[in-house]
Amino acid sequence: DQQVKQNSPSLSVQEGRISILNCDYTNSMFDYFLWYKKYPAEGPTFLISISSIKDKNEDGRFTVFLNKSAKHLSLHIVPSQPGDSAVYFCAARAGGTSYGKLTFGQGTILTVHP
Amino acid sequence: SQTIHQWPATLVQPVGSPLSLECTVEGTSNPNLYWYRQAAGRGLQLLFYSVGIGQISSEVPQNLSASRPQDRQFILSSKKLLLSDSGFYLCAWGEDTEAFFGQGTRLTVV
C-alpha cells in the first residue's frame, strides 16, 4: 500500500527552465510534507517543507505547492540548474507522530541539461 | 551543530552471514533515531525507530533487528542475511519538523 506516490520515475529539463516534480498521497492523516534531494551514494538532504495549513511555501528557487483536496503536492524549481540533477523524494508525516517518522515516495530522477 | 555518522559506507556479505551497522549522533541528547532502507527502485522505507535507550519500535516484519545501547548509538543487526536484505540503509535522527540522514550504507548480499 503505497501511501505516497511519485508517478514520474524521471524528468529531463533544460537549464534555465522550470522543473515540476509531482507527488500524490492517500492518507488523510498526513499533515506535514517534505522534499528531499539525494545524490548517488549519499543520504538524502532536506530541501523544503510545507504544513497542511498552508498551500504554498517558497525558498529561493524552490517552491512547494499543496492541494489538500486533491491530496497532491508539487515542487517547482525555477530556474533549473545542472547542479539540481539528483533524485527527489517526497515525504509525508502524520499528525502526532515523531519527527523522523516519514513515509516516502519512490523518488523522481531529475536531470537538468546544460 | 549536530552530525550523524554511519558506517561502513559499503558492505558485501554472503547469504547467511551476520550483519551489524552502526550509527552515532553528535551534538544532541536523547535524539529520536531511525533506520530506513531503500531497496532497488523503491522509496525509503522506515524499518525501526527509537525514542530512547532500549526503546525500539519495528515498522515492518523482517529479518533485521535494531538496538540502542547508548543514547546516541543505534545499531542495525541480522543473525543471518538474506538476498532480499540488499539495499541502501540510512540512519536518521529527527528534530523540529524534519529528519536528518547519515551518508548511508550500501549493503549487497551475495
PDB file of all heavy atoms in Angstrom, chain A residues 59-88:
ATOM      1  N   ASP A  59      11.260  29.013  -1.036  1.00  0.00           N
ATOM      2  CA  ASP A  59      12.608  29.195  -0.511  1.00  0.00           C
ATOM      3  C   ASP A  59      13.563  29.327  -1.684  1.00  0.00           C
ATOM      4  O   ASP A  59      13.998  28.332  -2.261  1.00  0.00           O
ATOM      5  CB  ASP A  59      12.996  28.006   0.369  1.00  0.00           C
ATOM      6  CG  ASP A  59      14.362  28.195   1.013  1.00  0.00           C
ATOM      7  OD1 ASP A  59      14.991  29.263   0.811  1.00  0.00           O
ATOM      8  OD2 ASP A  59      14.827  27.278   1.714  1.00  0.00           O
ATOM      9  N   GLY A  60      13.849  30.560  -2.046  1.00  0.00           N
ATOM     10  CA  GLY A  60      14.741  30.795  -3.170  1.00  0.00           C
ATOM     11  C   GLY A  60      14.155  30.274  -4.467  1.00  0.00           C
ATOM     12  O   GLY A  60      13.043  30.649  -4.851  1.00  0.00           O
ATOM     13  N   ARG A  61      14.884  29.390  -5.121  1.00  0.00           N
ATOM     14  CA  ARG A  61      14.416  28.844  -6.404  1.00  0.00           C
ATOM     15  C   ARG A  61      13.382  27.742  -6.227  1.00  0.00           C
ATOM     16  O   ARG A  61      12.828  27.255  -7.216  1.00  0.00           O
ATOM     17  CB  ARG A  61      15.609  28.297  -7.192  1.00  0.00           C
ATOM     18  CG  ARG A  61      16.654  29.321  -7.577  1.00  0.00           C
ATOM     19  CD  ARG A  61      17.742  28.733  -8.475  1.00  0.00           C
ATOM     20  NE  ARG A  61      18.516  27.698  -7.806  1.00  0.00           N
ATOM     21  CZ  ARG A  61      18.509  26.411  -8.146  1.00  0.00           C
ATOM     22  NH1 ARG A  61      17.756  25.987  -9.156  1.00  0.00           N
ATOM     23  NH2 ARG A  61      19.258  25.541  -7.506  1.00  0.00           N
ATOM     24  N   PHE A  62      13.157  27.327  -5.008  1.00  0.00           N
ATOM     25  CA  PHE A  62      12.280  26.184  -4.734  1.00  0.00           C
ATOM     26  C   PHE A  62      10.946  26.634  -4.131  1.00  0.00           C
ATOM     27  O   PHE A  62      10.930  27.411  -3.181  1.00  0.00           O
ATOM     28  CB  PHE A  62      12.970  25.209  -3.774  1.00  0.00           C
ATOM     29  CG  PHE A  62      14.289  24.697  -4.282  1.00  0.00           C
ATOM     30  CD1 PHE A  62      15.472  25.362  -3.981  1.00  0.00           C
ATOM     31  CD2 PHE A  62      14.343  23.579  -5.086  1.00  0.00           C
ATOM     32  CE1 PHE A  62      16.690  24.909  -4.467  1.00  0.00           C
ATOM     33  CE2 PHE A  62      15.560  23.114  -5.574  1.00  0.00           C
ATOM     34  CZ  PHE A  62      16.728  23.777  -5.267  1.00  0.00           C
ATOM     35  N   THR A  63       9.862  26.123  -4.704  1.00  0.00           N
ATOM     36  CA  THR A  63       8.529  26.399  -4.194  1.00  0.00           C
ATOM     37  C   THR A  63       7.761  25.094  -4.127  1.00  0.00           C
ATOM     38  O   THR A  63       7.772  24.317  -5.088  1.00  0.00           O
ATOM     39  CB  THR A  63       7.771  27.386  -5.100  1.00  0.00           C
ATOM     40  OG1 THR A  63       8.537  28.596  -5.234  1.00  0.00           O
ATOM     41  CG2 THR A  63       6.411  27.734  -4.501  1.00  0.00           C
ATOM     42  N   VAL A  64       7.117  24.874  -3.001  1.00  0.00           N
ATOM     43  CA  VAL A  64       6.270  23.693  -2.872  1.00  0.00           C
ATOM     44  C   VAL A  64       4.824  24.157  -2.783  1.00  0.00           C
ATOM     45  O   VAL A  64       4.496  25.108  -2.063  1.00  0.00           O
ATOM     46  CB  VAL A  64       6.677  22.823  -1.662  1.00  0.00           C
ATOM     47  CG1 VAL A  64       6.664  23.604  -0.366  1.00  0.00           C
ATOM     48  CG2 VAL A  64       5.782  21.597  -1.557  1.00  0.00           C
ATOM     49  N   PHE A  65       3.957  23.485  -3.543  1.00  0.00           N
ATOM     50  CA  PHE A  65       2.530  23.773  -3.556  1.00  0.00           C
ATOM     51  C   PHE A  65       1.784  22.556  -3.006  1.00  0.00           C
ATOM     52  O   PHE A  65       2.114  21.412  -3.342  1.00  0.00           O
ATOM     53  CB  PHE A  65       2.052  24.047  -4.984  1.00  0.00           C
ATOM     54  CG  PHE A  65       2.640  25.284  -5.607  1.00  0.00           C
ATOM     55  CD1 PHE A  65       3.811  25.210  -6.361  1.00  0.00           C
ATOM     56  CD2 PHE A  65       2.030  26.523  -5.431  1.00  0.00           C
ATOM     57  CE1 PHE A  65       4.364  26.344  -6.933  1.00  0.00           C
ATOM     58  CE2 PHE A  65       2.575  27.658  -6.001  1.00  0.00           C
ATOM     59  CZ  PHE A  65       3.739  27.576  -6.756  1.00  0.00           C
ATOM     60  N   LEU A  66       0.786  22.824  -2.191  1.00  0.00           N
ATOM     61  CA  LEU A  66      -0.020  21.743  -1.627  1.00  0.00           C
ATOM     62  C   LEU A  66      -1.486  21.959  -1.961  1.00  0.00           C
ATOM     63  O   LEU A  66      -2.047  23.025  -1.686  1.00  0.00           O
ATOM     64  CB  LEU A  66       0.160  21.688  -0.105  1.00  0.00           C
ATOM     65  CG  LEU A  66      -0.702  20.677   0.637  1.00  0.00           C
ATOM     66  CD1 LEU A  66      -0.378  19.254   0.201  1.00  0.00           C
ATOM     67  CD2 LEU A  66      -0.526  20.823   2.152  1.00  0.00           C
ATOM     68  N   ASN A  67      -2.105  20.939  -2.545  1.00  0.00           N
ATOM     69  CA  ASN A  67      -3.535  20.942  -2.831  1.00  0.00           C
ATOM     70  C   ASN A  67      -4.156  19.836  -1.990  1.00  0.00           C
ATOM     71  O   ASN A  67      -4.139  18.665  -2.361  1.00  0.00           O
ATOM     72  CB  ASN A  67      -3.781  20.708  -4.324  1.00  0.00           C
ATOM     73  CG  ASN A  67      -5.247  20.773  -4.686  1.00  0.00           C
ATOM     74  OD1 ASN A  67      -6.122  20.506  -3.853  1.00  0.00           O
ATOM     75  ND2 ASN A  67      -5.536  21.130  -5.927  1.00  0.00           N
ATOM     76  N   LYS A  68      -4.677  20.210  -0.828  1.00  0.00           N
ATOM     77  CA  LYS A  68      -5.185  19.216   0.111  1.00  0.00           C
ATOM     78  C   LYS A  68      -6.380  18.463  -0.432  1.00  0.00           C
ATOM     79  O   LYS A  68      -6.534  17.264  -0.217  1.00  0.00           O
ATOM     80  CB  LYS A  68      -5.547  19.883   1.436  1.00  0.00           C
ATOM     81  CG  LYS A  68      -4.356  20.219   2.300  1.00  0.00           C
ATOM     82  CD  LYS A  68      -4.792  20.864   3.597  1.00  0.00           C
ATOM     83  CE  LYS A  68      -5.660  19.962   4.431  1.00  0.00           C
ATOM     84  NZ  LYS A  68      -6.077  20.626   5.685  1.00  0.00           N
ATOM     85  N   SER A  69      -7.272  19.160  -1.123  1.00  0.00           N
ATOM     86  CA  SER A  69      -8.472  18.499  -1.624  1.00  0.00           C
ATOM     87  C   SER A  69      -8.124  17.421  -2.639  1.00  0.00           C
ATOM     88  O   SER A  69      -8.785  16.382  -2.713  1.00  0.00           O
ATOM     89  CB  SER A  69      -9.426  19.523  -2.240  1.00  0.00           C
ATOM     90  OG  SER A  69      -8.800  20.192  -3.319  1.00  0.00           O
ATOM     91  N   ALA A  70      -7.064  17.658  -3.406  1.00  0.00           N
ATOM     92  CA  ALA A  70      -6.623  16.672  -4.400  1.00  0.00           C
ATOM     93  C   ALA A  70      -5.582  15.728  -3.842  1.00  0.00           C
ATOM     94  O   ALA A  70      -5.158  14.795  -4.539  1.00  0.00           O
ATOM     95  CB  ALA A  70      -6.069  17.392  -5.633  1.00  0.00           C
ATOM     96  N   LYS A  71      -5.144  15.978  -2.619  1.00  0.00           N
ATOM     97  CA  LYS A  71      -4.075  15.191  -2.000  1.00  0.00           C
ATOM     98  C   LYS A  71      -2.857  15.140  -2.936  1.00  0.00           C
ATOM     99  O   LYS A  71      -2.324  14.065  -3.273  1.00  0.00           O
ATOM    100  CB  LYS A  71      -4.545  13.777  -1.643  1.00  0.00           C
ATOM    101  CG  LYS A  71      -5.579  13.719  -0.534  1.00  0.00           C
ATOM    102  CD  LYS A  71      -5.815  12.283  -0.077  1.00  0.00           C
ATOM    103  CE  LYS A  71      -6.715  12.225   1.127  1.00  0.00           C
ATOM    104  NZ  LYS A  71      -8.085  12.674   0.853  1.00  0.00           N
ATOM    105  N   HIS A  72      -2.441  16.328  -3.314  1.00  0.00           N
ATOM    106  CA  HIS A  72      -1.372  16.445  -4.295  1.00  0.00           C
ATOM    107  C   HIS A  72      -0.439  17.577  -3.889  1.00  0.00           C
ATOM    108  O   HIS A  72      -0.885  18.632  -3.440  1.00  0.00           O
ATOM    109  CB  HIS A  72      -1.963  16.747  -5.673  1.00  0.00           C
ATOM    110  CG  HIS A  72      -0.934  16.977  -6.726  1.00  0.00           C
ATOM    111  ND1 HIS A  72      -0.330  15.954  -7.422  1.00  0.00           N
ATOM    112  CD2 HIS A  72      -0.396  18.133  -7.204  1.00  0.00           C
ATOM    113  CE1 HIS A  72       0.530  16.461  -8.278  1.00  0.00           C
ATOM    114  NE2 HIS A  72       0.517  17.776  -8.176  1.00  0.00           N
ATOM    115  N   LEU A  73       0.858  17.324  -4.023  1.00  0.00           N
ATOM    116  CA  LEU A  73       1.813  18.407  -3.855  1.00  0.00           C
ATOM    117  C   LEU A  73       2.830  18.372  -4.982  1.00  0.00           C
ATOM    118  O   LEU A  73       3.015  17.341  -5.628  1.00  0.00           O
ATOM    119  CB  LEU A  73       2.497  18.390  -2.486  1.00  0.00           C
ATOM    120  CG  LEU A  73       3.413  17.250  -2.086  1.00  0.00           C
ATOM    121  CD1 LEU A  73       4.374  17.753  -1.028  1.00  0.00           C
ATOM    122  CD2 LEU A  73       2.620  16.106  -1.500  1.00  0.00           C
ATOM    123  N   SER A  74       3.431  19.526  -5.201  1.00  0.00           N
ATOM    124  CA  SER A  74       4.408  19.624  -6.272  1.00  0.00           C
ATOM    125  C   SER A  74       5.563  20.513  -5.817  1.00  0.00           C
ATOM    126  O   SER A  74       5.401  21.391  -4.974  1.00  0.00           O
ATOM    127  CB  SER A  74       3.779  20.170  -7.555  1.00  0.00           C
ATOM    128  OG  SER A  74       3.255  21.459  -7.341  1.00  0.00           O
ATOM    129  N   LEU A  75       6.703  20.242  -6.397  1.00  0.00           N
ATOM    130  CA  LEU A  75       7.914  21.039  -6.154  1.00  0.00           C
ATOM    131  C   LEU A  75       8.299  21.706  -7.460  1.00  0.00           C
ATOM    132  O   LEU A  75       8.456  21.022  -8.476  1.00  0.00           O
ATOM    133  CB  LEU A  75       9.047  20.140  -5.666  1.00  0.00           C
ATOM    134  CG  LEU A  75      10.416  20.807  -5.515  1.00  0.00           C
ATOM    135  CD1 LEU A  75      10.392  21.820  -4.370  1.00  0.00           C
ATOM    136  CD2 LEU A  75      11.514  19.771  -5.281  1.00  0.00           C
ATOM    137  N   HIS A  76       8.416  23.038  -7.425  1.00  0.00           N
ATOM    138  CA  HIS A  76       8.833  23.789  -8.594  1.00  0.00           C
ATOM    139  C   HIS A  76      10.241  24.308  -8.365  1.00  0.00           C
ATOM    140  O   HIS A  76      10.523  24.894  -7.310  1.00  0.00           O
ATOM    141  CB  HIS A  76       7.885  24.969  -8.846  1.00  0.00           C
ATOM    142  CG  HIS A  76       6.512  24.551  -9.253  1.00  0.00           C
ATOM    143  ND1 HIS A  76       5.716  25.329 -10.068  1.00  0.00           N
ATOM    144  CD2 HIS A  76       5.784  23.440  -8.981  1.00  0.00           C
ATOM    145  CE1 HIS A  76       4.561  24.716 -10.277  1.00  0.00           C
ATOM    146  NE2 HIS A  76       4.581  23.567  -9.610  1.00  0.00           N
ATOM    147  N   ILE A  77      11.082  24.116  -9.349  1.00  0.00           N
ATOM    148  CA  ILE A  77      12.444  24.628  -9.293  1.00  0.00           C
ATOM    149  C   ILE A  77      12.617  25.594 -10.467  1.00  0.00           C
ATOM    150  O   ILE A  77      12.505  25.187 -11.623  1.00  0.00           O
ATOM    151  CB  ILE A  77      13.488  23.496  -9.389  1.00  0.00           C
ATOM    152  CG1 ILE A  77      13.223  22.421  -8.330  1.00  0.00           C
ATOM    153  CG2 ILE A  77      14.901  24.064  -9.213  1.00  0.00           C
ATOM    154  CD1 ILE A  77      14.125  21.196  -8.461  1.00  0.00           C
ATOM    155  N   VAL A  78      12.846  26.878 -10.124  1.00  0.00           N
ATOM    156  CA  VAL A  78      12.974  27.885 -11.173  1.00  0.00           C
ATOM    157  C   VAL A  78      14.084  28.876 -10.813  1.00  0.00           C
ATOM    158  O   VAL A  78      14.001  29.484  -9.744  1.00  0.00           O
ATOM    159  CB  VAL A  78      11.660  28.676 -11.372  1.00  0.00           C
ATOM    160  CG1 VAL A  78      11.821  29.674 -12.523  1.00  0.00           C
ATOM    161  CG2 VAL A  78      10.490  27.748 -11.629  1.00  0.00           C
ATOM    162  N   PRO A  79      15.068  29.111 -11.675  1.00  0.00           N
ATOM    163  CA  PRO A  79      15.358  28.322 -12.867  1.00  0.00           C
ATOM    164  C   PRO A  79      16.126  27.057 -12.506  1.00  0.00           C
ATOM    165  O   PRO A  79      16.851  27.024 -11.513  1.00  0.00           O
ATOM    166  CB  PRO A  79      16.246  29.285 -13.672  1.00  0.00           C
ATOM    167  CG  PRO A  79      16.981  30.059 -12.625  1.00  0.00           C
ATOM    168  CD  PRO A  79      16.014  30.224 -11.468  1.00  0.00           C
ATOM    169  N   SER A  80      15.981  26.028 -13.290  1.00  0.00           N
ATOM    170  CA  SER A  80      16.693  24.783 -13.033  1.00  0.00           C
ATOM    171  C   SER A  80      18.166  24.936 -13.413  1.00  0.00           C
ATOM    172  O   SER A  80      18.503  25.619 -14.388  1.00  0.00           O
ATOM    173  CB  SER A  80      16.073  23.644 -13.853  1.00  0.00           C
ATOM    174  OG  SER A  80      14.711  23.477 -13.528  1.00  0.00           O
ATOM    175  N   GLN A  81      19.016  24.275 -12.625  1.00  0.00           N
ATOM    176  CA  GLN A  81      20.453  24.324 -12.864  1.00  0.00           C
ATOM    177  C   GLN A  81      20.995  22.897 -12.951  1.00  0.00           C
ATOM    178  O   GLN A  81      20.439  21.986 -12.329  1.00  0.00           O
ATOM    179  CB  GLN A  81      21.148  25.076 -11.725  1.00  0.00           C
ATOM    180  CG  GLN A  81      20.690  26.500 -11.548  1.00  0.00           C
ATOM    181  CD  GLN A  81      21.274  27.161 -10.315  1.00  0.00           C
ATOM    182  OE1 GLN A  81      21.951  26.527  -9.513  1.00  0.00           O
ATOM    183  NE2 GLN A  81      21.017  28.462 -10.165  1.00  0.00           N
ATOM    184  N   PRO A  82      22.095  22.702 -13.659  1.00  0.00           N
ATOM    185  CA  PRO A  82      22.662  21.344 -13.766  1.00  0.00           C
ATOM    186  C   PRO A  82      22.949  20.713 -12.401  1.00  0.00           C
ATOM    187  O   PRO A  82      22.801  19.506 -12.230  1.00  0.00           O
ATOM    188  CB  PRO A  82      23.941  21.568 -14.573  1.00  0.00           C
ATOM    189  CG  PRO A  82      23.635  22.754 -15.427  1.00  0.00           C
ATOM    190  CD  PRO A  82      22.785  23.644 -14.557  1.00  0.00           C
ATOM    191  N   GLY A  83      23.315  21.524 -11.429  1.00  0.00           N
ATOM    192  CA  GLY A  83      23.573  21.008 -10.089  1.00  0.00           C
ATOM    193  C   GLY A  83      22.336  20.504  -9.374  1.00  0.00           C
ATOM    194  O   GLY A  83      22.434  19.857  -8.332  1.00  0.00           O
ATOM    195  N   ASP A  84      21.165  20.794  -9.938  1.00  0.00           N
ATOM    196  CA  ASP A  84      19.920  20.278  -9.355  1.00  0.00           C
ATOM    197  C   ASP A  84      19.681  18.825  -9.739  1.00  0.00           C
ATOM    198  O   ASP A  84      18.775  18.181  -9.201  1.00  0.00           O
ATOM    199  CB  ASP A  84      18.725  21.120  -9.835  1.00  0.00           C
ATOM    200  CG  ASP A  84      18.784  22.553  -9.349  1.00  0.00           C
ATOM    201  OD1 ASP A  84      19.333  22.795  -8.251  1.00  0.00           O
ATOM    202  OD2 ASP A  84      18.295  23.441 -10.092  1.00  0.00           O
ATOM    203  N   SER A  85      20.457  18.300 -10.654  1.00  0.00           N
ATOM    204  CA  SER A  85      20.295  16.909 -11.086  1.00  0.00           C
ATOM    205  C   SER A  85      20.531  15.975  -9.913  1.00  0.00           C
ATOM    206  O   SER A  85      21.608  15.959  -9.316  1.00  0.00           O
ATOM    207  CB  SER A  85      21.274  16.589 -12.218  1.00  0.00           C
ATOM    208  OG  SER A  85      21.009  17.389 -13.355  1.00  0.00           O
ATOM    209  N   ALA A  86      19.507  15.208  -9.566  1.00  0.00           N
ATOM    210  CA  ALA A  86      19.547  14.340  -8.395  1.00  0.00           C
ATOM    211  C   ALA A  86      18.231  13.567  -8.351  1.00  0.00           C
ATOM    212  O   ALA A  86      17.363  13.750  -9.211  1.00  0.00           O
ATOM    213  CB  ALA A  86      19.708  15.158  -7.115  1.00  0.00           C
ATOM    214  N   VAL A  87      18.089  12.725  -7.348  1.00  0.00           N
ATOM    215  CA  VAL A  87      16.803  12.073  -7.098  1.00  0.00           C
ATOM    216  C   VAL A  87      16.057  12.890  -6.055  1.00  0.00           C
ATOM    217  O   VAL A  87      16.630  13.272  -5.024  1.00  0.00           O
ATOM    218  CB  VAL A  87      16.980  10.630  -6.589  1.00  0.00           C
ATOM    219  CG1 VAL A  87      15.618   9.995  -6.333  1.00  0.00           C
ATOM    220  CG2 VAL A  87      17.781   9.806  -7.581  1.00  0.00           C
ATOM    221  N   TYR A  88      14.803  13.177  -6.317  1.00  0.00           N
ATOM    222  CA  TYR A  88      13.986  13.966  -5.403  1.00  0.00           C
ATOM    223  C   TYR A  88      12.904  13.075  -4.794  1.00  0.00           C
ATOM    224  O   TYR A  88      12.148  12.407  -5.506  1.00  0.00           O
ATOM    225  CB  TYR A  88      13.348  15.147  -6.136  1.00  0.00           C
ATOM    226  CG  TYR A  88      14.365  16.206  -6.472  1.00  0.00           C
ATOM    227  CD1 TYR A  88      15.223  16.052  -7.558  1.00  0.00           C
ATOM    228  CD2 TYR A  88      14.498  17.351  -5.688  1.00  0.00           C
ATOM    229  CE1 TYR A  88      16.190  17.002  -7.846  1.00  0.00           C
ATOM    230  CE2 TYR A  88      15.454  18.310  -5.980  1.00  0.00           C
ATOM    231  CZ  TYR A  88      16.293  18.129  -7.052  1.00  0.00           C
ATOM    232  OH  TYR A  88      17.247  19.067  -7.341  1.00  0.00           O
TER     233      TYR A  88
END
